[in-house]
Amino acid sequence: MKQIFSLFILLTMSIITFSQENRVPSKGLALYAKDGDFQPYEFSRHAIGDNDILIDIMYSGICHSDIHMGKSEWGNISYPFVGGHEIAGRVARVGKNVTKFKVGDYAGIGCIINSCGVCDNCKNGLENLCEKGMVGTYASHDYFHNNEITQGGYANNYVVSENYAIKIPENADMKKVAPLLCAGVTTYSPIHFSNVKKGDSVAVAGFGGLGHMAVQYLVALGANVTIFDITEEKRADAKKFGAVEYVNINKPEELEGQNNKYSFIISTIPAKYDPVMYVKMLKIGGEMAIVGLPASENMPMIPAGSFVFNPHKKIYGSLIGGIPETQKMLDYSVANNIYPEVEIINADVKSVTDAYKNVIDGKVKFRYVIDMKTLK
Ligand code: NDP
Ligand code: ZN
């Protein structure tokens, strides 16, 4: 009995040692508290499984969601926290069953790194709506790997199943491609869900990282785009991206004549605002997609009565997009030269800490992208 017990202990120890040994060392930049600055952080990722690839990260976008999450604005998270779910890089290793990628290929990761794979939504390519819950790229319990908390892409590498990695075409502009993996698909998806067509009058509320992608997809479809934002500083950019009108909502005179005008509105606003103002701007039968997700304490509310007194208008939420749609969006964007406007920053604690402050203060045009190759 004693011998069997010793054997069992030995076996368990060697399994643990084996899986520890095969863990992939990683380093990045992390927040250690909701109010702190970024600091260097060394950690490890799960071993490269037979269906996994190891990506050496080249570029990582800074999404406003990273900030909401990193500052525990949607609920308390555990720290250290490595943000980043707009990831572009090169495949460094492949598991033995991998067929979609080979070493040296470009690969990307968005907000999803796994999902149950067997529910109806997963089977229909809607992994973002997995009934068990998707495994998010960061701050998420990875139920395929001992429930460990995932760490994001402000790091030198990532290990991901090939089924949840996106193929980046060789001719893509790698400096700009990463934000498509979240900002791109989050706006592309509802625009197509709502079937926006050439000549439609549409609006984009919030002209930031997501908003400027929405404008580009809508303009490419031939829609007439009006932008709503809170600053004068982006008026010229609105024209540059092809919008027909720019409304600074802090100028009440510019809001005149806006009601009953749009067949589609997308709200990307990350702060408290009045959604009913936009509901009134919809035509009968018009659709409003809400993607902006402010901090829980600032979450906008729509009184039920507003629906009755602004009848026959449709409002829905949208959450990123599934893996097939993300691939479709990426291929479309690269083929049509639709990219975010980016500001490249170095992967050091000051640059990333400052970048967060600038996004919060509305000082970024339009997306920060961290050059992860500069990580020391
Ligand atoms: P950004 O900060 O890049 O852009 C937000 C824009 O909204 C800025 O231009 C900002 O102006 C503007 N804005 C702020 N307040 C108002 C207001 N009251 N009215 C009109 N415009 C306003 O953020 P992102 O684009 O990266 O993200 C936007 C939101 O979308 C976030 O809440 C994020 O968490 C969420 N998100 C949701 C996803 C989903 O799947 N549903 C996926 C990804 C993100 P200024 O710059 O002047 O402050
Ligand atoms: Zn995002």
Side-chain angles (χ1 to χ4, degrees):
M1 187 65 192
K2 211 171 158 191
Q3 273 164 330
I4 294 176
F5 184 70
S6 310
L7 198 69
F8 175 74
I9 295 286
L10 204 69
L11 206 67
T12 314
M13 294 290 288
S14 48
I15 288 171
I16 291 171
T17 316
F18 180 76
S19 60
Q20 291 299 337
E21 268 176 12
N22 286 284
R23 288 187 68 82
V24 176
S26 189
K27 60 178 180 174
L29 300 172
L31 288 174
Y32 283 71
K34 64 178 177 182
D35 297 322
D37 289 353
F38 277 90
Q39 300 296 337
Y41 179 46
E42 294 198 7
F43 58 104
S44 66
R45 303 198 186 267
H46 66 73
I48 304 163
D50 293 345
N51 300 307
D52 294 340
I53 59 172
L54 171 70
I55 298 177
D56 280 344
I57 300 175
M58 296 163 67
Y59 296 100
S60 208
I62 298 181
C63 175
H64 207 124
S65 296
D66 303 355
I67 301 176
H68 293 308
M69 187 70 93
K71 293 186 169 295
S72 283
E73 291 180 355
W74 293 332
N76 289 329
I77 58 159
S78 56
Y79 296 92
F81 161 81
V82 181
H85 60 200
E86 297 181 336
I87 299 169
R90 232 185 235 289
V91 177
R93 278 175 64 187
V94 295
K96 72 175 188 328
N97 295 339
V98 169
T99 54
K100 190 166 138 187
F101 294 95
K102 57 182 189 330
V103 170
D105 285 353
Y106 285 143
I109 305 173
C111 304
I112 315 171
I113 55 131
N114 227 324
S115 66
C116 84
V118 294
C119 72
D120 283 349
N121 287 344
C122 281
K123 281 197 243 161
N124 288 325
L126 297 170
E127 298 86 349
N128 51 326
L129 311 181
C130 171
E131 288 167 28
K132 185 171 175 182
M134 66 177 193
V135 182
T137 305
Y138 55 62
S140 185
H141 288 275
D142 184 351
Y143 49 81
F144 291 96
H145 296 94
N146 302 321
N147 247 5
E148 66 185 43
I149 305 279
T150 54
Q151 298 289 8
Y154 306 168
N156 63 334
N157 62 19
Y158 207 106
V159 180
V160 64
S161 156
E162 65 165 340
N163 299 324
Y164 292 80
I166 306 298
K167 277 192 89 80
I168 300 178
E170 271 303 306
N171 64 338
D173 186 340
M174 283 303 277
K175 282 196 163 101
K176 297 182 177 176
V177 87
L180 296 173
L181 278 310
C182 173
V185 71
T186 302
T187 51
Y188 178 95
S189 182
I191 288 169
H192 290 273
F193 184 77
S194 283
N195 197 20
V196 174
K197 294 184 303 300
K198 188 173 176 17
D200 286 353
S201 288
V202 302
V204 175
F207 188 35
L210 266 59
H212 89 301
M213 291 313 305
V215 172
Q216 293 186 71
Y217 292 127
L218 291 163
V219 167
L221 284 172
N224 300 313
V225 184
T226 296
I227 295 171
F228 293 85
D229 204 288
I230 50 175
T231 167
E232 270 312 293
E233 280 156 31
K234 294 180 182 169
R235 197 176 282 278
D237 298 292
K239 201 168 174 188
K240 183 179 84 186
F241 283 108
V244 292
E245 191 182 11
Y246 180 87
V247 175
N248 179 345
I249 64 167
N250 290 325
K251 295 191 164 176
E253 67 278 13
E254 294 189 12
L255 285 167
E256 279 168 28
Q258 291 293 340
N259 287 352
N260 305 306
K261 194 170 162 190
Y262 302 106
S263 57
F264 174 77
I265 298 176
I266 181 169
S267 170
T268 73
I269 300 172
K272 192 143 197 128
Y273 68 103
D274 175 18
V276 179
M277 179 176 104
Y278 294 101
V279 175
K280 289 182 176 163
M281 294 180 189
L282 287 172
K283 286 179 182 170
I284 300 298
E287 298 183 7
M288 176 165 168
I290 296 179
V291 296
L293 193 62
S296 305
E297 62 180 29
N298 288 329
M299 200 58 77
M301 297 292 166
I302 310 182
S306 307
F307 291 101
V308 178
F309 290 109
N310 297 283
H312 297 273
K313 299 173 177 190
K314 304 171 195 169
I315 302 170
Y316 67 95
S318 192
L319 181 70
I320 45 174
I323 298 297
E325 190 173 37
T326 306
Q327 186 68 63
K328 194 173 169 192
M329 168 284 310
L330 193 82
D331 294 343
Y332 169 83
S333 305
V334 172
N336 290 282
N337 204 25
I338 296 178
Y339 286 105
E341 186 169 312
V342 304
E343 193 174 322
I344 306 286
I345 58 169
N346 283 343
D348 59 63
V349 294
K350 185 173 185 314
S351 301
V352 180
T353 301
D354 287 352
Y356 267 40
K357 290 197 183 98
N358 288 343
V359 174
I360 293 164
D361 294 344
K363 288 187 187 153
V364 53
K365 279 190 191 169
F366 278 84
R367 200 53 139 196
Y368 282 117
V369 168
I370 312 169
D371 181 349
M372 290 316 311
K373 298 185 296 327
T374 61
L375 185 73
K376 297 253 163 51

